[in-house]
Amino acid sequence: MQYLPNIFFIIVLIAGIGFFVMNVKKLSRNIKLGKDVDRSDRKSERLKNMMMIALGQSKMVKRPFSGFLHIIVYVGFIIINIEVLEIIIDGIFGTHRIFLGVLGNAFYGFLIGTFEVLAALVFIAVVIFWLRRNVSNIKRFLSKEMKGWPKNDGNYILYFEMVLMTLFLVMNATDPTFQQAGIGNPISQFVAPLFNGFSSDTIHAIERTAWWIHILGILVFLNYLYYSKHLHILLAFPNTYFANLNPKGQFNNLESVTNEVKLMMDPDADPYAMPEEGAEETVPEKFGASDVTDLNWVQLLNSYTCTECGRCTSSCPANLTGKKLSPRKIMMDTRDRLEEVGRNIDANNGVFVDDNKQLLNDYISPEELWACTSCNACVEECPVNIDPLSIIMDMRRYLVMEQSAAPQELNMMMTNVENNGAPWQYNQQDRLNWANEE
């Protein structure tokens, strides 16, 4: 019977990690539904971006107050969870604070003391984040797309972090041997007096309960990430590594269209000539994107990495002038549709069955797409290098090239370019009249 807790712990640990691995495989499968794109170039620059932006949080501090709080939570939560290694070893082998004997009183006390200070700072930062989300009426947290689950999801994570930090301090405060040693307890020593009136058995029960709930909470948190915007904790690193490194004003061109233009511009080319034998057809199945499977895998990775912070939307000139466009909603809609496609595949034994839905119109309207000024403000603002504009442009490309559904003003401009060689509606012979004006 003495080994029963250890066996139970091992079963729970395997189940928690196993479920997480299963969701990671599902996540990888969904991302790979996107079309291939080569992001293997400029490796040193990509690595530098990942270290500076994902690990170093360099873009977060552009808004100093929230950026500083985020760094506290990020650093604190990561470092504190180093202690999970000790908990896992103790849980498997039935030991208690095994690292104390391995590391010695001084170093172990320094580590746990650092963890306690960080836990208190994380708790304070999380409370401030909760107040900003729920009391301060900050506009970017009040958008339409942040109603319901997105709002609740953000709060659930904050509650998780509050509880886990509290449990960590209670676990230390109710460990009499640890408190009597007087090492590594700069915060928990002030919590310990709250339990002075309890018997030793009760205090031990509280300590064990806090210990169990703490490790179970971490496993639940780990598996909750897949269903939450906080998946960016894991995906920010690959997302920043594989981000587009080209200048922000540079758009990609379709090879088939480029070849067609070159053919039109070549006076010696025969437009009726048959392709050379062995030449590959470069005409895509579809111009642009109308559904998530038309996007590339980096764009789908972007959608899963979105933090829903709203920095993109708060800096979008279209949104600021009352247009329907919200770059954050574009990413959230892409992720929601991708999840829907993934569930469809799971329900049909690995095969997607047409559900008569797509990202365009069912999730994202043409009105949103055409409101974009393609200024790249959203791309510049994103703290994890997400590119909503690339999705917008691919869906616009579909509207224009597949459905001829551009706005009337744009159609008129393209007609003028085709007929007059300029966007304006006047005769080609008058194009240079401006040069004669004084």
Side-chain angles (χ1 to χ4, degrees):
M1 291 294 291
Q2 63 175 329
Y3 298 111
L4 198 58
N6 308 73
I7 295 171
F8 177 72
F9 180 88
I10 293 170
I11 292 172
V12 169
L13 184 66
I14 292 173
I17 294 176
F19 190 67
F20 174 72
V21 170
M22 182 186 72
N23 279 335
V24 167
K25 289 181 177 178
K26 190 184 299 183
L27 174 70
S28 177
R29 187 274 316 275
N30 288 354
I31 292 173
K32 289 178 180 177
L33 292 174
K35 298 198 178 295
D36 190 34
V37 61
D38 184 14
R39 292 291 168 85
S40 60
D41 60 331
R42 301 155 73 176
K43 290 182 173 59
S44 59
E45 191 174 346
R46 294 186 181 282
L47 186 61
K48 179 183 177 182
N49 270 357
M50 184 178 74
M51 298 303 292
M52 291 291 294
I53 298 171
L55 184 63
Q57 306 280 290
S58 61
K59 294 185 75 173
M60 283 297 304
V61 294
K62 287 185 176 181
R63 302 190 183 191
F65 182 69
S66 58
F68 177 70
L69 291 175
H70 189 275
I71 287 176
I72 290 175
V73 174
Y74 170 74
V75 173
F77 203 73
I78 295 297
I79 292 179
I80 291 168
N81 280 326
I82 294 174
E83 198 224 1
V84 173
L85 180 59
E86 181 183 51
I87 292 177
I88 290 174
I89 295 173
D90 286 345
I92 293 174
F93 297 102
T95 54
H96 182 68
R97 294 191 183 272
I98 190 170
F99 284 173
L100 178 59
V102 175
L103 301 176
N105 286 359
F107 188 54
Y108 184 81
F110 169 75
L111 285 179
I112 298 299
T114 302
F115 296 165
E116 287 199 358
V117 171
L118 286 172
L121 291 174
V122 168
F123 188 92
I124 293 170
V126 166
V127 169
I128 295 173
F129 276 138
W130 186 90
L131 291 172
R132 281 167 59 83
R133 279 185 168 271
N134 298 278
V135 178
S136 297
N137 291 325
I138 297 174
K139 186 178 179 181
R140 62 191 170 103
F141 296 134
L142 302 175
S143 301
K144 183 171 62 176
E145 67 265 20
M146 295 304 292
K147 306 296 184 185
W149 167 252
K151 178 180 175 64
N152 293 335
D153 173 44
N155 284 333
Y156 292 157
I157 288 290
L158 296 178
Y159 298 145
F160 253 118
E161 291 171 344
M162 289 180 196
V163 170
L164 289 176
M165 296 304 102
T166 301
L167 288 170
F168 172 71
L169 294 174
V170 169
M171 186 174 70
N172 287 347
T174 53
D175 186 340
T177 305
F178 176 72
Q179 288 298 319
Q180 290 166 10
I183 55 168
N185 62 339
I187 305 299
S188 61
Q189 64 178 312
F190 299 107
V191 180
L194 298 175
F195 304 96
N196 283 344
F198 295 90
S199 66
S200 57
D201 288 341
T202 302
I203 290 176
H204 178 71
I206 293 173
E207 189 271 337
R208 285 291 83 192
T209 301
W211 186 92
W212 274 102
I213 297 176
H214 183 71
I215 185 61
L216 291 175
I218 288 172
L219 290 173
V220 170
F221 180 86
L222 179 68
N223 283 284
Y224 178 73
L225 290 181
Y226 175 78
Y227 306 95
S228 167
K229 75 185 183 72
H230 281 72
L231 195 55
H232 73 267
I233 294 173
L234 306 177
L235 294 185
F237 292 89
N239 195 79
T240 50
Y241 182 86
F242 292 114
N244 185 11
L245 298 181
N246 293 327
K248 289 184 172 60
Q250 180 178 327
F251 295 109
N252 66 314
N253 296 315
L254 293 177
E255 184 181 356
S256 57
V257 176
T258 301
N259 291 339
E260 189 71 21
V261 171
K262 287 180 179 178
L263 183 65
M264 293 169 61
M265 300 295 290
D266 184 357
D268 299 322
D270 181 2
Y272 302 104
M274 295 294 291
E276 295 181 9
E277 187 175 349
E280 294 184 4
E281 281 289 336
T282 58
V283 179
E285 296 178 8
K286 181 190 291 186
F287 292 103
S290 63
D291 209 350
V292 289
T293 51
D294 302 321
L295 300 171
N296 66 56
W297 65 267
V298 174
Q299 291 170 317
L300 300 186
L301 173 63
N302 282 181
S303 72
Y304 273 121
T305 310
C306 179
T307 70
E308 297 178 13
C309 65
R311 293 188 180 204
C312 55
T313 295
S314 67
S315 63
C316 173
N319 186 274
L320 291 173
T321 54
K323 304 294 191 303
K324 197 173 181 181
L325 173 65
S326 167
R328 172 174 57 189
K329 179 180 177 295
I330 297 292
M331 301 314 302
M332 293 170 67
D333 286 343
T334 302
R335 182 184 60 213
D336 290 345
R337 173 56 181 164
L338 183 55
E339 276 292 290
E340 184 177 48
V341 170
R343 290 191 295 270
N344 183 308
I345 293 173
D346 291 335
N348 292 284
N349 300 316
V351 178
F352 178 72
V353 176
D354 186 13
D355 57 0
N356 295 316
K357 294 175 70 176
Q358 57 180 5
L359 183 61
L360 180 63
N361 294 319
D362 290 304
Y363 285 83
I364 301 172
S365 67
E367 180 184 351
E368 295 171 74
L369 299 174
W370 290 115
C372 177
T373 66
S374 66
C375 68
N376 270 293
C378 56
V379 183
E380 179 65 31
E381 280 293 315
C382 180
V384 287
N385 277 18
I386 290 170
D387 187 0
L389 180 59
S390 67
I391 295 177
I392 292 171
M393 296 306 293
D394 280 348
M395 296 182 75
R396 276 186 180 180
R397 181 174 283 161
Y398 174 83
L399 287 169
V400 173
M401 301 186 71
E402 292 281 348
Q403 295 192 333
S404 299
Q408 182 180 356
E409 298 85 354
L410 185 57
N411 279 330
M412 185 180 299
M413 184 271 292
M414 290 188 290
T415 299
N416 289 334
V417 169
E418 182 179 357
N419 295 332
N420 306 323
W424 302 280
Q425 194 171 6
Y426 53 68
N427 194 293
Q428 288 197 43
Q429 295 176 352
D430 298 330
R431 288 183 62 186
L432 296 178
N433 284 354
W434 63 272
N436 300 321
E437 296 178 1
E438 294 183 0

